[in-house]
Amino acid sequence: MVEVSKHYPKSKLPIIYERSNVNERAALRSSPLYEQLADELAAQISTGVFGPGDKLPSVRQVSQNKGVSVTTVLQAYQLLEDRGSIEARPQSGYYVRFIPLPSLTVPEPGFFTPPDDLEEAQIDDLVMMVMRDSTNLELIQLGAAQPDPSLLPTDRMNRILSRLARLNDIHQNMRGLPEGCIELRTQVAKRAFLLGCSIAPEDLLITSGCTEAVSLALRAVCQPGDLVAIESPTYFGILQAIETQGLRPLEIPTHQRDGINLEALDFAIEHYPVKAVVVMSNYHNPLGSCMPEENKRALVDLLAPREIPLIEDDIHGELSFSDQRPLVAKSFDQNGLVLLCSSFSKDISPSYRVGWIAPGRFFTAVQKHKMATTLSTPILLQHVIAEFLDNGGYDHHLRKIRRAYAQKVTQTVHGVLRSFPKGTQISSPEGGYLLWVQLPRQVDSLALYREALQVGITLAPGYIFSSTPKFHNYIRLNTAYMSFAAEKALDILGGIVQKMAKA
Ligand SMILES: Cc1ncc(COP(=O)(O)O)c(C=O)c1O
């Protein structure tokens, strides 16, 4: 995989200015100091660091920060005013003018255009495109796995947040411990009972989302170069965590109903030095599969004698379509070998970035890595979630969103069956809000993604769910935003697929 910047036109990359002293650079250049300063500010305006309407730093601040005289700064600001890029407002300071700047290069949502072939469109580029699309609210959102914002308990969370903020408790301005606040760990531990586990608050660490939980788990159990068995297809965040830590993925076929193929995994660990296994046991992303209990038990039993850690991502576990959520594989773990990861991103808010990990016997290693990366997760947000879990009506909320997502998934399945060509296959999950769709072989999901974008629809192309192109004719649909408009969009999408299937 290649970094986004490698495919990003060089001319559009923001210029990174070091915080070096203007005086030092002045010695190397011949133009007057105030002109150099003006150029530096102009570059920051043109790259969008200061956008139209933004207030520039005060003359005194710039003078102190850059080690130049107040007169030099005033001259620089005057020059920028003469050039028409900033304006002075009486009693207020200097502001960037509201005029179209010819060299404004801030990437906007949907700015990335897919390269013409996959050779160029590396997985990271595609992931970035899908993520960017999710911030462009003009698109019909069938792509990124975002929950429906109207199904999040935003009002209640805001009320708790403002009440806690008004308390102005000294603790909210303290950094907190790497393992997180005890109130939230206690709430998570209480709920672990429903997952089939007996977990004490002391066994848990609060993380910045499930992403950090999985990443810390990998760090705790693997060394660079190690082989990690993963499901195929898998969530692209897992692929990225593996790649960025210098680990190697070993893809194991995974079934839409039963989850990871245990025979294939058994063969893999017999023949390769697998150091860890990662699964999404409940409502897999993108398959929607939920491993039957006997498979979860068998998976844990398979790994235990070889002492291979299992990283279990249960982020969708609460989104069961029935009133009862499924157990986790960790509930069968007798040896502390399962590192269970989750977050509140799917049911409470993705923006809080609050998740957790129950790392079993790897607690100390995870704690060490948490200290070395983000140190601790923002305290105030942990308290807000803890209070919502304690007495905000979390269970009532879960019942409501489970019903809503069950309906949205059904509605989307009907839409696909109605509009897509013969030969299309679709998953039938019992939880979550994602659908995995297999299109006729000749339909390329990247080409489809590109055409769909032209008509204002975004989706997730199959390429991002594997380190190989084997899912080229698959797409993942997010049903969370299903609405009348999205149903119409499915019809349009189906029409495009029909056309591509015939070509
Ligand atoms: C399976 C899975 N794990 C982890 C994440 C990321 O979770 P978070 O936003 O809490 O970091 C996602 C988000 O879509 C996901 O689907």
Side-chain angles (χ1 to χ4, degrees):
M1 282 189 232
V2 173
E3 282 170 24
V4 169
S5 57
K6 293 204 180 137
H7 289 283
Y8 198 71
K10 261 230 163 73
S11 59
K12 308 219 170 187
L13 282 173
I15 303 158
I16 311 289
Y17 280 90
E18 289 166 27
R19 265 179 53 91
S20 60
N21 193 323
V22 171
N23 283 327
E24 283 169 27
R25 281 192 254 145
L28 301 170
R29 299 190 201 159
S30 51
S31 57
L33 200 51
Y34 75 89
E35 226 176 279
Q36 291 171 34
L37 183 57
D39 287 346
E40 187 164 349
L41 283 162
Q44 290 194 306
I45 292 169
S46 71
T47 55
V49 176
F50 294 108
D54 280 354
K55 188 175 180 185
L56 291 172
S58 73
V59 172
R60 191 175 301 280
Q61 277 172 327
V62 179
S63 150
Q64 280 170 357
N65 188 272
K66 297 288 181 190
V68 297
S69 72
V70 167
T71 315
T72 302
V73 184
L74 280 170
Q75 280 177 312
Y77 277 5
Q78 181 62 53
L79 184 59
L80 289 173
E81 256 195 295
D82 295 345
R83 289 180 189 167
S85 49
I86 68 169
E87 62 190 5
R89 293 190 197 159
Q91 316 290 330
S92 181
Y94 288 88
Y95 290 79
V96 180
R97 285 187 65 195
F98 283 97
I99 50 163
L101 294 165
S103 54
L104 191 70
T105 55
V106 188
E108 289 169 5
F111 175 83
F112 280 88
T113 42
D116 284 339
D117 56 34
L118 190 74
E119 288 302 306
E120 271 189 75
Q122 299 294 333
I123 293 173
D124 284 1
D125 297 307
L126 297 178
V127 169
M128 189 57 90
M129 287 183 312
V130 172
M131 285 188 73
R132 274 179 198 280
D133 290 349
S134 72
T135 63
N136 183 351
L137 298 181
E138 296 197 343
L139 295 175
I140 301 278
Q141 296 290 336
L142 301 175
Q146 301 254 49
D148 176 354
S150 72
L151 288 177
L152 298 173
T154 312
D155 286 345
R156 259 169 294 159
M157 296 298 282
N158 285 349
R159 279 200 298 276
I160 300 173
L161 178 62
S162 62
R163 196 179 61 72
L164 291 184
R166 275 199 310 276
L167 285 180
N168 211 359
D169 182 344
I170 185 159
H171 292 103
Q172 79 190 39
N173 283 323
M174 293 174 80
R175 190 179 50 224
L177 295 169
E179 53 267 36
C181 79
I182 186 66
E183 290 83 353
L184 182 54
R185 285 184 289 132
T186 304
Q187 290 303 322
V188 174
K190 276 186 186 163
R191 298 198 68 84
F193 178 73
L194 299 172
L195 280 58
C197 301
S198 156
I199 298 176
E202 297 72 39
D203 301 329
L204 288 160
L205 293 108
I206 303 302
T207 59
S208 296
C210 191
T211 303
E212 192 190 35
V214 171
S215 192
L216 291 173
L218 282 167
R219 251 176 234 291
V221 300
C222 295
Q223 300 292 327
D226 280 354
L227 202 57
V228 182
I230 56 171
E231 295 158 301
S232 187
T234 191
Y235 165 56
F236 50 75
I238 292 172
L239 279 173
Q240 285 179 319
I242 286 175
E243 192 214 358
T244 53
Q245 292 186 30
L247 308 172
R248 292 173 301 137
L250 179 65
E251 298 195 19
I252 308 291
T254 300
H255 191 263
Q256 292 189 11
R257 213 150 264 297
D258 299 337
I260 194 162
N261 183 313
L262 294 175
E263 249 175 73
L265 180 64
D266 193 11
F267 180 86
I269 58 182
E270 203 51 48
H271 292 85
Y272 298 96
V274 170
K275 286 288 160 26
V277 177
V278 187
V279 297
M280 288 159 274
S281 49
N282 296 321
Y283 316 130
H284 181 282
N285 176 1
L287 288 176
S289 57
C290 181
M291 287 178 79
E293 266 175 38
E294 61 272 22
N295 287 32
K296 286 175 183 150
R297 185 193 294 276
L299 172 62
V300 171
D301 290 349
L302 180 67
L303 302 180
R306 283 127 159 155
E307 300 248 310
I308 299 176
L310 173 67
I311 300 172
E312 183 178 23
D313 177 338
D314 183 52
I315 193 168
H316 293 109
E318 292 293 356
L319 300 182
S320 132
F321 295 160
S322 73
D323 280 342
Q324 213 182 338
R325 60 146 298 145
L327 300 184
V328 288
K330 190 173 176 68
S331 65
F332 303 104
D333 178 26
Q334 307 283 331
N335 304 291
L337 274 171
V338 179
L339 300 94
L340 178 63
C341 305
S342 190
S343 81
F344 301 99
S345 299
K346 303 295 175 184
D347 49 9
I348 295 183
S349 175
S351 70
Y352 272 56
R353 313 299 311 134
V354 175
W356 55 269
I357 178 167
R361 66 162 88 156
F362 305 100
F363 185 94
T364 312
V366 170
Q367 188 184 38
K368 191 178 104 191
H369 288 294
K370 172 78 184 169
M371 281 176 83
T373 49
T374 52
L375 200 59
S376 74
T377 300
I379 285 286
L380 182 57
L381 300 181
Q382 293 184 50
H383 279 286
V384 178
I385 294 199
E387 183 154 333
F388 179 64
L389 296 184
D390 192 19
N391 49 38
Y394 184 49
D395 285 307
H396 174 75
H397 166 68
L398 283 179
R399 278 196 293 278
K400 184 178 104 183
I401 64 174
R402 285 168 176 170
R403 275 197 303 273
Y405 284 134
Q407 202 174 347
K408 282 168 186 279
V409 165
T410 310
Q411 201 179 347
T412 313
V413 169
H414 284 303
V416 171
L417 293 177
R418 188 178 59 234
S419 317
F420 282 53
K422 236 176 118 204
T424 300
Q425 294 187 23
I426 188 161
S427 58
S428 50
E430 287 163 8
Y433 48 75
L434 303 172
L435 284 173
W436 185 234
V437 184
Q438 182 181 0
L439 305 170
R441 263 206 91 66
Q442 60 275 32
V443 180
D444 180 79
S445 60
L446 185 57
L448 176 63
Y449 168 80
R450 211 178 289 122
E451 281 213 28
L453 215 48
Q454 304 277 328
V455 290
I457 303 167
T458 173
L459 51 88
Y463 289 103
I464 63 180
F465 300 99
S466 167
S467 53
T468 74
K470 64 181 155 189
F471 299 111
H472 71 94
N473 60 323
Y474 288 74
I475 54 171
R476 186 195 68 189
L477 294 177
N478 175 15
T479 73
Y481 286 79
M482 199 31 65
S483 61
F484 182 65
E487 255 191 296
K488 290 271 156 274
L490 269 184
D491 289 343
I492 296 169
L493 199 60
I496 302 174
V497 178
Q498 299 264 11
K499 200 182 69 193
M500 292 176 116
K502 280 193 201 127

